[in-house]
Structures are given as structure tokens and as C-alpha cells.
Amino acid sequence: MRLSLFLFPLLAIAQTPEFASVIEKHCLSCHGAEKGLSGLRLHTRAAALKGGSRGSALIPGDPAKSLLYSTTELAPGTALAMPPGGQQIPATDRAILKAWITAGAPWPDTLTLKLPQLKIKDDQALVARLHPKMEQATELKPYKRIIPNSTVEFEMLPVPGDTKIAPFWMAKYEVTWDEYRLFMFQNLANEARGAEPVLDAISRPTKPYVEMSFGMGINGFPAISMTHHAANKFAQWLSAKTGQFYRLPTEAEWEHACRLGDTETAPINDRSWFVDNSPESYQQVGKKKPNQLGLYDMLGNVAEWTLDQYDEKSYGKPLPPEGYILSTKPYPHVAKGGAWSDPAQKLGCGQRIWSDPQWKMQDPQLPKSIWYLTDAQFLGFRLVRPLKVPSAAQMFRYWNNGVERE
Amino acid sequence: MDLTQRRDLLKSGALILGAPAVLSAFQASKSIKIGLVGCGGRGTGAASQALKADDFSNLTAMADVFPERIDDSVASLKKIHGEKVKVEKTNMFVGLDAYEKLIDSGVDVVVLATPPGFRPAQLRYAIEKGKHVFCEKPMAVDVPGIRHVMETSKMAKEKNLSLVAGFCWRYSNYIVETFSKIKSGSIGDITAYYGTYYTNPVKPMPPADTRPAGMSDVEWQIRNWYNFQWLCGDSLVEQAIHTVDKVAWAFDDVPPVSCVATGGRQIPAEGGNIYDHFSVNYLYPNNVRAFVSSRQIEGCYNENADYIMGTKGQAIIGRGPNPRIVGENPWTFAGQKYDMYQKEHDDLFASIRKGTPLNDGERMCTSTLLGIMGRMAAYTGQQITWEEVMNSQHRIFPEKLEWSGKLPVEPMPLPGRTKFA
């Protein structure tokens, strides 16, 4: 029963003829329906018989006269040898072509060959593709950016470095639902599935069954209740969209930006949303006074994710070379600054909270979602962009904490 | 509230609430054997809560139509509950009749978490065989199904069996507290109820060309069960039923007089036959009305809230994390919330240990019927009375179901043309 259930659909899938797989694999990237180098297209029998600038590529029954086959037998790397570049097609594949042509090159009319779809995965290879596209800036200047194909804008402000922290930009505001929902819903972002394989490949949140703003508002309000993994993937997605490298701040960077901009002289009520002035809900970003760097809502409104795994003992001690505590387990990770639900004394540059499985309490499913923290209605994030674009390997680590599954 | 402190409270709260149920001295350490029917995400979650609810509960049997679901589920559960999961290979049952084999395998409690179309038959078999039951909402997809469940619920009472339903808000302390405020007169007499369930699609239909060659209609539809009326009962009955259940609660589970509804499908159904939006107007005695609106379309304004309006004020649930009352007797919930899904099982297992059975039967049927009533009013475009609903003979769940069988999809209902039956 179990076996038959599994295998039945697999067995029933129509087999692609062997010759077709060989041509698709070795020839079609240059001689497909679209590209057709030297006028030669090999996607249908008629096109192969017609041939290109060197004449017919296929003489049924005669492999030696069929350029489609004969060119694969030439010494690799020589002028007319196919495929070009010195890599000969494996002998078994050549044998398949030869036998097929000898047999009269049977090719059903209905069979159109297609370039095999490269299945792109959200892995190191994907980051390696993204890495060269990341713009390397030469100086820190404030800028605004519209997320491509949308009307949603975000703003980045310079945060100078010091002896320990390299300079970076930090987002003026916490990430809002306006931005985050473009990541949640491909259609809102005007992304057509299949149009940009790299964007398609980036993992995106599952559609939540419930209403994730919990009735506290969407337009201009901070996004909340996302997992650490979800925040990282948002950063990757935004980087892929904009060609600028974004990520979560490290705890050290977050605190650095908070202290540099410190405006403790102003009353907390002028600077922050907390339980006394907003007991029911978060508030729209940017409605209180910014700090001296121009950053809004660093303290209060929503607590903000950082890259760091929480480690009570390591706080204030020298950091590992990466500049933050790498993740080794799903919990706890550090969030900073305090939230609307906190009393004033819990708002501060040094204040930290740490994630806990209880933040997913109301998720009725098992395994629980890797995207949503149903009970962390006080938690959001903001992004940074380091002046110096890191290596692809570092980039991969920033976007993949590797511990999203509990 | 202080976050760090909240964390501590959450932790300690979980310790208290997740603690083993009070055991009677008599059968304190007797194992309670659990069987799980329907091993998807929710079923696995429910089994986990059942295992956490009682120190001496064990999962001993699992059933599903898809063997891979059982494999994934058992792996997830073992990770959390280790030795408490004692499911031998011979107690993993696959197929449409797997639930019977599971119930006959010597379990004490059955967790029913398959698509709701299957519920009436599975529930009946479990109660007939003398098992305590946790069953997910809703109870059925059509009125004959509900009548069947009503009988089963009576049988459960006669046999002193516990029957707990997954209308989870009834087990949520902050919603319970809100309703007890309402019942004690905080908003005066209820004049109207407006409930919203504007969310995203649940398990939307995959493109037709992803259907593997040779897969039967029945398998394809069960794999995509949320998109078919006969399996899920439509979105109002399967999801927005939580809001409908709160309406029923507000009116003391007394049925409405009648209802009128609109509904339809805006986004292509891709071969399924459920609506993606409903708006129902229930008429209660004394001209009091309840309005429930639902939508499952991506990219729209989302809201899941309840506004219960009374002569002295309004109760508001779902606008902000804490329910509140505005008006003459203002109030905001300020306590510690606990896990309602866990509470369902804590209560169930405590009732089994104490020998004081719980029975959610009546209200779980009334709430489901309210949903079905709204759906039928939308499908037909007619005003439908409670009496008409109670007499409906229309079955949408197939009489006979074979795994490899053909099953044409009923066309999308057309108001004004689709007849009430």
C-alpha cells in the first residue's frame, strides 16, 4: 500500500526520449528556439533538418554526415568541434546520438526541446550569483530608495564607525508593513513568477492564516511578529531587488548607532512609544523625535532584531572576528531597544531581550512556522547596509542563520 | 508591560498550565493511549498538546491517507516528546478506512484532525467504540452530517465519554474573560455584532498541470482539500467559523431566526469550488443582528476582529493584542494570556482522569450549523430560516468514496439559480 501510493505518480510521468535529453543538455543553450547561434536551432525536427549557416545538421540514417553528431567527434577544442570550449560530450551520450540518427532520427512532431530549467535553490550558489551585483559605494551619504516596481520608499542614514565598528548606513525607520508585505506577497511586489528566477528562489514567508498586524494597523506601521529567519530573508530579498547589500545589524552596531545618536536630554515621551503613551498598540514609524543621527524609534515602538545569538556571558566582552555571536540554536536571539509594551525604564541602548519558544505559543501547528512569531507583537526590525560589501561567504551567513527549524 | 518580566511570566505560566493534570489517586499512573487521525500540521500540533497535557499519556497509533504525513508527524513528535511516542509500525494505518483500524487498536483517546467532511463518520465510530475524543472544528460540511454528529454527541453523554471540540476561543482565558464581562452586563444589552475574518487564502489550489499523471480525482482533491466544498465546507464553515462561533457565544448559543448572505469568488478557483468571500447577516430575536464578513484574498486589507455593540458600550476583540470594552464600563484585558490550544487538552485529560466528562457537542453543532446556514444563504441568494436549515437534506459529502475513484467537481454555486435543498 505504502509503496504503490508513492511510486504510482512517478512511473506514470512520460519519459523524455534519450536523444532529446542529450541535445537539451549539450546543445540547446546555444541552439535553442530563442538563441539559434549560426542560424541553427535544434528545438524541433524540422529546425534540425533545415540546419544553419553550415547546412543541414541532421541527415537521418547518416551520422557521419550529420553535423549534429559529426562535430561532437572532432578533437575537443579544435575550430569546429562541438560543444565549443574543449569539453567533449561523454561517449555514452555520443553513442545515443549516433544510434538515434542511424535509426532514422525518430522525433515525434509533438516534441519540442527546451533548455532544461535550472532549478535555483536558496543556497550558497544563489548568494554567489547575487554577490557580484552588489553595489560598492565609496562614501556614506544619506539616500532614499524606492523598492523597484513599487511605490514604497525607504531611507538610509550614515552611521560613522569607530575603532571597532566599520561604518554603515542604518534605516531611518523600522521596517514597515508597506515594505514587508511586498516580501510576503509576490503579487503586491509586482513580481511575475518565473520572470526573475533569482527572486523566485529566495525563500519567502508562507501565507499566514491569521491577520498578522493583530488589528494594530498596516500603512506606515512597523512590521511585527516575524522570526529571525524571516527578517534575514527580507534583507536578502531587498538586496536582490535593489543591488545593495542589506542585513540585520549586529547587536554591537545597533548599540553603537543608538549611543552615537543619544538624545537622553529630551524627555522619553518626546522620543519614544512605550506603555505609558501607547498602552494598546504600536504606532506609525517616525512620529516622535529622531535621535541625533536622524534615526527614529530606536527606543520603544517595536523591539528590533539583531543578528546575534543571545549569550548572557559574552555581553561587553570582545566579539568573535565576525563581529557578532553566530547562531547555533533556534533560541535565543537578541532584540534591542524595548517596545510599546514596555515601561520607560526598559527602553535604552543597552536594553536587550531574547527570543523564546513561547513567542510562538499561539501557532497551533507542528512543526511550527519558521516565519511567524504569533506572540511577539512587540517585535520588529530595521536594516543596515555596511559601507564595505562583504564576501559571498559572509553574505550567505548573514542571510542564513541555519537554525530556523526547531 | 515589561518584556523581560512578561517572558518570565510566560515561562512560569506555561509551567503551571502545562503541568500534568491533577490525577485521581485511583488511576494516577495508568497510561492514557492516544490515537491521532489526520497527521498534518494541526493534527500533529494537537497530538503534541495531548502528550503535554498528561504525564502518563502516550501516542500509540496514527492514521492518515498519506504515509509520508505519518512519517513527518512522528518525527516531529518524537523530537519533543521522546519516549512518550510509542507508535509501532503496525499501528501506523494508511487509507480512507485507517481511522477504524486506529480506533480498534486499543487507544483511549482519539484526536480527529482530518478535513471536516470526514468528521461525522469518524466521530461516530470513535464514540461507538467508547473512546474519548478531541475533534477539530468544524463538525461537518452539511446538515445531514451535523444531525449525525448531534446524535453522536448524545451517545457520548450516555456513555460518559468526553468530547472536546477545537473551537479554541472557548478555551482562551482572555476571550473567556471578555465574554464573561459581556454576559455580566458591561456593555448592556447586545444590539449588534460585527465580526470580520479578512485574511489570506488557506492552501490555495496548485496549478492543474502540477497534478501528477494518474492521480485519482479523490486523491487530488484530498491533497488540496481546502478548495473543495465536500471536504472543507467552504471558507465560512472551515475558517471564519471561529468568528461565527463567537457570535453564537455572544447570543448564548441560541440559534438565530434567519439569515441573508452574499458571497462569491473573485480569484480564479483553479478547479476548486469554494467561495473566497462571504458576508452574512444573521437575524436574532428582538431584531438584533449579527454581521459576519470574511474574505480570503491576497493583498487586501486584513482584519480579524469582533465588535460587539451594546446599549452601554462596545466590546472590541482583535484590534490590538488585548480585548477591551469602551463605554460606561471601560475595561482592557491586562492579565497573562495562556495557550488556548494547550488548555483544550489540559481540560480534556483532566476530565478523563477525574471521570467527569466534558461535552462540547451541542454548541459545537450549533456553531457549525450557523456557518452552514450562512453559506447556504450565500450560495442560493435566499433568506434562510433556522427551521429550514434544520430540515435540510442536502448532502455534499459523497455517499461512497474510493481512493482511486472518479469524482467530478460540483460547479461553483450561482445565487438565484442554485436551489436550497
Side-chain angles (χ1 to χ4, degrees):
Chain A
M1 178 76 182
R2 305 190 95 184
L3 272 181
S4 65
L5 267 178
F6 265 131
L7 293 179
F8 187 54
L10 292 176
L11 290 175
I13 291 170
Q15 295 271 318
T16 310
E18 280 183 318
F19 86 89
S21 307
V22 173
I23 295 177
E24 284 177 342
K25 193 156 65 180
H26 301 294
C27 318
L28 234 56
S29 61
C30 297
H31 300 294
E34 294 83 28
K35 222 171 178 183
L37 281 191
S38 310
L40 177 61
R41 289 179 169 80
L42 295 172
H43 61 299
T44 61
R45 189 170 204 265
L49 290 171
K50 181 168 164 261
S53 56
R54 292 179 61 203
S56 176
L58 179 62
I59 313 289
D62 194 343
K65 286 191 182 155
S66 298
L67 288 170
L68 167 58
Y69 171 73
S70 62
T71 53
T72 69
E73 292 289 353
L74 298 173
T78 56
L80 297 172
M82 286 293 147
Q87 276 284 346
Q88 198 173 24
I89 296 176
T92 47
D93 283 2
R94 277 181 282 138
I96 288 167
L97 281 184
K98 189 176 183 183
W100 167 69
I101 296 172
T102 306
W107 187 330
D109 287 345
T110 53
L111 178 63
T112 301
L113 306 193
K114 289 185 200 110
L115 198 60
Q117 281 280 330
L118 280 181
K119 180 87 183 130
I120 307 178
K121 286 195 239 146
D122 190 355
D123 57 7
Q124 281 101 331
L126 178 70
V127 175
R129 277 171 174 240
L130 289 171
H131 184 257
K133 295 182 180 149
M134 294 299 135
E135 170 194 335
Q136 177 57 65
T138 49
E139 58 173 331
L140 281 180
K141 279 192 301 193
Y143 66 89
K144 291 180 185 176
R145 187 76 202 261
I146 288 177
I147 298 178
N149 289 326
S150 80
T151 54
V152 179
E153 189 180 63
F154 64 95
E155 204 168 337
M156 301 298 291
L157 300 176
V159 179
D162 63 12
T163 51
K164 286 180 191 158
I165 307 263
F168 58 94
W169 288 269
M170 188 172 235
K172 186 173 177 181
Y173 306 118
E174 290 156 341
V175 171
T176 61
W177 283 116
D178 307 71
E179 295 154 72
Y180 196 74
R181 276 160 52 88
L182 299 182
F183 168 58
M184 286 171 72
F185 304 114
Q186 241 182 330
N187 65 335
L188 288 188
N190 295 311
E191 289 174 24
R193 224 154 277 194
E196 290 182 72
V198 169
L199 280 181
D200 281 350
I202 296 171
S203 317
R204 287 167 102 124
T206 49
K207 310 286 176 282
Y209 291 5
V210 296
E211 200 284 289
M212 291 308 296
S213 77
F214 297 90
M216 295 191 285
I218 301 276
N219 298 331
F221 290 95
I224 53 161
S225 294
M226 71 293 293
T227 59
H228 192 255
H229 172 67
N232 288 326
K233 286 291 146 184
F234 174 84
Q236 181 176 5
W237 169 82
L238 188 67
S239 304
K241 294 283 276 191
T242 58
Q244 293 165 335
F245 171 66
Y246 295 100
R247 61 166 168 82
L248 283 179
T250 66
E251 183 178 10
E253 285 168 340
W254 193 97
E255 219 170 298
H256 170 78
C258 187
R259 292 192 194 285
L260 262 187
D262 201 6
T263 45
E264 244 175 41
T265 44
I268 190 76
N269 190 42
D270 294 353
R271 296 181 275 142
S272 301
W273 297 107
F274 58 108
V275 76
D276 290 349
N277 60 16
S278 187
E280 298 285 319
S281 160
Y282 55 47
Q283 299 290 337
Q284 283 182 325
V285 301
K287 299 291 184 197
K288 290 283 185 185
K289 276 190 187 150
N291 74 8
Q292 286 177 19
L293 292 174
L295 304 168
Y296 287 82
D297 303 306
M298 285 294 278
L299 306 183
N301 209 18
V302 292
E304 299 176 14
W305 274 127
T306 67
L307 280 170
D308 297 57
Q309 184 103 70
Y310 173 72
D311 178 358
E312 199 182 1
K313 289 176 201 145
S314 71
Y315 188 69
K317 304 223 171 95
L319 286 161
E322 291 84 2
Y324 67 107
I325 313 282
L326 293 172
S327 306
T328 56
K329 51 193 173 182
Y331 302 99
H333 285 97
V334 178
K336 299 288 288 179
W340 58 268
S341 48
D342 283 321
Q345 65 269 25
K346 286 287 175 185
L347 311 187
C349 298
Q351 291 288 345
R352 53 210 311 247
I353 54 169
W354 46 95
S355 58
D356 184 285
Q358 291 293 323
W359 291 9
K360 278 189 191 176
M361 187 173 75
Q362 286 188 74
D363 184 344
Q365 309 255 338
L366 193 76
K368 294 191 180 224
S369 170
I370 63 170
W371 298 104
Y372 300 104
L373 294 168
T374 46
D375 299 84
Q377 294 155 8
F378 45 83
L379 178 69
F381 67 108
R382 83 174 73 213
L383 294 178
V384 296
R385 175 185 171 196
L387 178 60
K388 184 173 178 294
V389 175
S391 72
Q394 287 168 324
M395 223 172 239
F396 178 78
R397 239 184 357 235
Y398 286 130
W399 290 335
N400 296 276
N401 67 18
V403 294
E404 66 272 22
R405 287 176 206 284
E406 285 162 44
Chain B
M1 179 174 188
D2 168 351
L3 282 173
T4 322
Q5 185 192 341
R6 171 163 57 201
R7 281 189 65 264
D8 295 339
L9 278 169
L10 276 171
K11 270 189 173 164
S12 58
L15 277 176
I16 295 159
L17 295 160
V22 180
L23 309 180
S24 69
F26 180 56
Q27 39 183 349
S29 61
K30 181 178 177 288
S31 164
I32 297 180
K33 294 185 200 132
I34 304 161
L36 170 62
V37 182
C39 303
R42 177 74 269 268
T44 307
S48 179
Q49 284 131 14
L51 287 167
K52 196 176 163 192
D54 188 290
D55 264 0
F56 300 100
S57 61
N58 293 105
L59 184 68
T60 61
M62 299 169 93
D64 204 296
V65 290
F66 304 119
E68 66 272 22
R69 289 281 152 74
I70 298 182
D71 297 341
D72 293 348
S73 177
V74 82
S76 296
L77 289 166
K78 273 194 174 152
K79 232 166 122 181
I80 298 175
H81 299 285
E83 289 296 297
K84 292 189 88 180
V85 180
K86 295 181 189 295
V87 190
E88 303 291 337
K89 280 275 168 204
T90 50
N91 267 5
M92 295 180 182
F93 305 103
V94 177
L96 287 168
D97 61 351
Y99 72 93
E100 294 181 357
K101 294 174 190 159
L102 175 138
I103 289 166
D104 291 337
S105 74
V107 295
D108 304 303
V109 176
V110 181
V111 173
L112 298 178
T114 60
F118 296 112
R119 194 93 65 237
Q122 295 179 348
L123 184 58
R124 173 62 61 90
Y125 196 76
I127 297 296
E128 270 179 1
K129 296 290 173 130
K131 313 300 178 192
H132 301 283
V133 173
F134 171 80
C135 63
E136 256 307 337
K137 44 46 61 175
M139 298 310 133
V141 294
D142 52 25
V143 180
I146 285 293
R147 276 196 293 267
H148 194 255
V149 173
M150 284 170 160
E151 286 169 19
T152 310
S153 154
K154 275 187 201 138
M155 289 166 59
K157 260 186 198 156
E158 286 158 12
K159 291 175 164 230
N160 285 323
L161 296 169
S162 275
L163 172 54
V164 168
F167 284 110
C168 49
W169 293 116
R170 307 263 187 163
Y171 291 86
S172 155
N173 65 329
Y174 64 100
I175 300 300
V176 167
E177 200 171 322
T178 309
F179 275 89
S180 57
K181 289 269 169 204
I182 295 168
K183 307 275 178 202
S184 66
S186 279
I187 61 165
D189 296 329
I190 296 177
T191 54
Y193 192 124
Y194 173 52
T196 57
Y197 207 97
Y198 299 132
T199 62
N200 301 305
V202 172
K203 305 179 196 297
M205 205 59 196
D209 63 6
T210 60
R211 176 172 171 171
M215 183 180 280
S216 74
D217 290 349
V218 171
E219 178 177 353
W220 176 245
Q221 290 176 31
I222 293 178
R223 285 196 181 273
N224 298 294
W225 65 273
Y226 191 82
N227 299 277
F228 298 94
Q229 290 169 19
W230 70 274
L231 282 159
C232 91
D234 210 325
S235 50
L236 180 67
V237 178
E238 214 286 330
Q239 282 285 303
I241 197 70
H242 284 300
T243 299
V244 171
D245 181 51
K246 279 180 275 184
V247 168
W249 192 357
F251 294 98
D252 299 320
D253 298 299
V254 171
V257 178
S258 63
C259 82
V260 178
T262 57
R265 179 101 200 166
Q266 287 295 330
I267 304 299
E270 307 289 354
N273 65 356
I274 63 165
Y275 280 4
D276 57 14
H277 63 280
F278 284 95
S279 189
V280 192
N281 176 348
Y282 294 100
L283 174 65
Y284 277 91
N286 303 320
N287 283 318
V288 176
R289 290 187 184 271
F291 308 90
V292 174
S293 281
S294 70
R295 178 177 57 213
Q296 293 184 322
I297 301 179
E298 202 174 300
C300 301
Y301 171 74
N302 282 350
E303 181 190 292
N304 180 10
D306 303 86
Y307 308 83
I308 306 149
M309 290 155 260
T311 49
K312 292 182 183 168
Q314 189 175 155
I316 301 166
I317 300 169
R319 300 309 306 267
N322 294 312
R324 62 183 188 275
I325 285 171
V326 294
E328 287 180 29
N329 306 297
W331 167 83
T332 302
F333 178 81
Q336 183 57 39
K337 292 177 186 173
Y338 59 56
D339 180 351
M340 59 184 172
Y341 301 103
Q342 188 56 49
K343 181 79 161 75
E344 293 168 341
H345 289 271
D346 290 349
D347 286 7
L348 171 64
F349 280 81
S351 81
I352 295 169
R353 287 283 178 206
K354 280 189 212 148
T356 51
L358 287 173
N359 189 306
D360 290 347
E362 250 165 79
R363 72 181 193 212
M364 76 192 195
C365 287
T366 305
S367 294
T368 307
L369 265 175
L370 234 65
I372 294 173
M373 182 188 194
R375 178 191 75 199
M376 290 169 103
Y379 280 2
T380 60
Q382 306 303 320
Q383 173 180 270
I384 295 190
T385 65
W386 183 256
E387 201 184 334
E388 283 169 328
V389 171
M390 292 296 281
N391 292 321
S392 166
Q393 301 301 320
H394 186 49
R395 283 176 195 279
I396 63 171
F397 193 81
E399 293 273 353
K400 265 195 179 165
L401 204 56
E402 277 173 31
W403 187 249
S404 54
K406 279 201 179 315
L407 193 62
V409 179
E410 289 288 319
M412 195 73 80
L414 298 172
R417 298 189 197 176
T418 298
K419 299 288 176 229
F420 179 82

